[in-house]
Amino acid sequence: MPTPTPPLSSLPEVPMCEKTEDRDTNSSPPWAKIKLTPAEVEIERMILRNELKDAEVNYFCRVEPILQDGPQCGLVALAMASQEYRKPVAVSHLLAEARVRGFTQHGEVYSVDFMATLAAEYLPDHRPDVMVDLQQYPDALSHALAHGAMVLIPYDSDFNHAPCLKRGHKAHWALLVGLISSRQGYHVLARHGKSRHLACWPLRDLIESNGNLEEEGATRHAGGYVIPKGGVGGQRGLRGRALALRPYT
């Protein structure tokens, strides 16, 4: 089960990674003795980079990155989520299963419902909960994360992989693994298949990008993609929808 990370301490005036071996321990500030994990150091840097005031990490689940090979971003995101188990599922296994079920040809997944079916099969200790109308209920995502869920969410990916508005032509999947609250509002921490680094995005930008997913891009893989009935923006597609993976308690 994901173990919520306690809020990180307020940022000090000196670098967090400054060596402390030669210091007088009686005069060292409290944070000088704190050893952060690489992920926590990365989060601290993102908080600084985004100038998040009074930031607190409300939730964080440590997940190792997996890079995608081809249009497998959704399957990669699900494979990363499966790291909560002793025997995580391989992307190749998910791809084979998705093909058998008629969900994909090349690794693409254009339906949140398809993803929920795979999650129910391979993440038995998590309850897949399809979330809808995210633009109408924007607090649903922050609530799910704050209560220990990971979230699989489709969005349009810009050149730097941040959320953008391309009507679904750059559709991509991310796994939300953390939530930061600050004076600037909520930011989410995400893993996705095109980077080894954690991403940090304003939650409102991600929700807006998710809500603009209307159609697949004109440049399609040879042989085409599997598009659910009703299209990318339909009731079984991607627009306004996400998948919360809630741990059973």
Side-chain angles (χ1 to χ4, degrees):
M1 295 299 152
T3 302
T5 297
L8 297 176
S9 59
S10 58
L11 296 175
E13 296 294 329
V14 300
M16 291 290 290
C17 298
E18 185 174 342
K19 292 184 178 180
T20 63
E21 292 87 343
D22 299 327
R23 289 184 175 185
D24 178 355
T25 55
N26 294 325
S27 61
S28 298
W31 60 80
K33 304 172 186 177
I34 297 174
K35 291 185 178 180
L36 300 180
T37 67
E40 289 168 338
V41 170
E42 193 171 9
I43 293 171
E44 291 282 17
R45 289 172 180 166
M46 288 187 288
I47 289 173
L48 281 169
R49 188 182 307 130
N50 289 277
E51 298 182 349
L52 304 182
K53 307 297 184 182
D54 299 326
E56 287 191 358
V57 179
N58 304 108
Y59 166 72
F60 177 58
C61 179
R62 293 176 180 84
V63 172
E64 294 301 315
I66 300 174
L67 297 182
Q68 67 190 74
D69 181 13
Q72 302 174 357
C73 52
L75 300 180
V76 164
L78 184 58
M80 285 192 282
S82 76
Q83 292 175 15
E84 289 299 303
Y85 299 90
R86 291 183 178 179
K87 294 183 178 181
V89 62
V91 176
S92 58
H93 194 113
L94 289 172
L95 176 59
E97 182 68 19
R99 281 174 168 162
V100 167
R101 291 176 179 264
F103 294 166
T104 188
Q105 289 195 53
H106 310 287
E108 77 287 347
V109 180
Y110 275 98
S111 168
V112 174
D113 295 78
F114 294 170
M115 195 69 76
T117 299
L118 293 172
E121 179 73 20
Y122 291 102
L123 278 71
D125 290 343
H126 287 73
R127 173 170 55 88
D129 181 11
V130 176
M131 308 170 75
V132 299
D133 299 328
L134 293 180
Q135 290 66 48
Q136 187 174 352
Y137 303 104
D139 293 339
L141 281 175
S142 58
H143 184 273
L145 291 167
H147 286 79
M150 292 179 287
V151 177
L152 288 160
I153 185 167
Y155 73 102
D156 262 334
S157 175
D158 211 345
F159 67 93
N160 61 352
H161 312 308
C164 68
L165 305 175
K166 298 290 179 66
R167 302 185 66 228
H169 291 203
K170 297 295 183 180
H172 190 45
W173 282 88
L175 175 68
L176 304 186
V177 296
L179 180 69
I180 298 175
S181 60
S182 71
R183 282 193 232 164
Q184 287 89 329
Y186 285 119
H187 282 63
V188 291
L189 297 170
R191 291 280 190 197
H192 62 88
K194 292 185 177 180
S195 176
R196 295 187 182 278
H197 299 288
L198 270 173
C200 180
W201 305 318
L203 179 57
R204 60 180 178 274
D205 291 354
L206 182 61
I207 291 175
E208 185 178 9
S209 180
N210 170 267
N212 103 120
L213 301 175
E214 298 180 10
E215 60 189 20
E216 68 274 20
T219 303
R220 297 171 61 175
H221 197 288
Y225 289 152
V226 176
I227 306 299
K229 184 178 181 180
V232 174
Q235 292 184 351
R236 292 176 59 82
L238 304 177
R239 184 174 60 190
R241 313 178 83 219
L243 182 67
L245 304 173
R246 304 182 190 274
Y248 286 111
T249 57

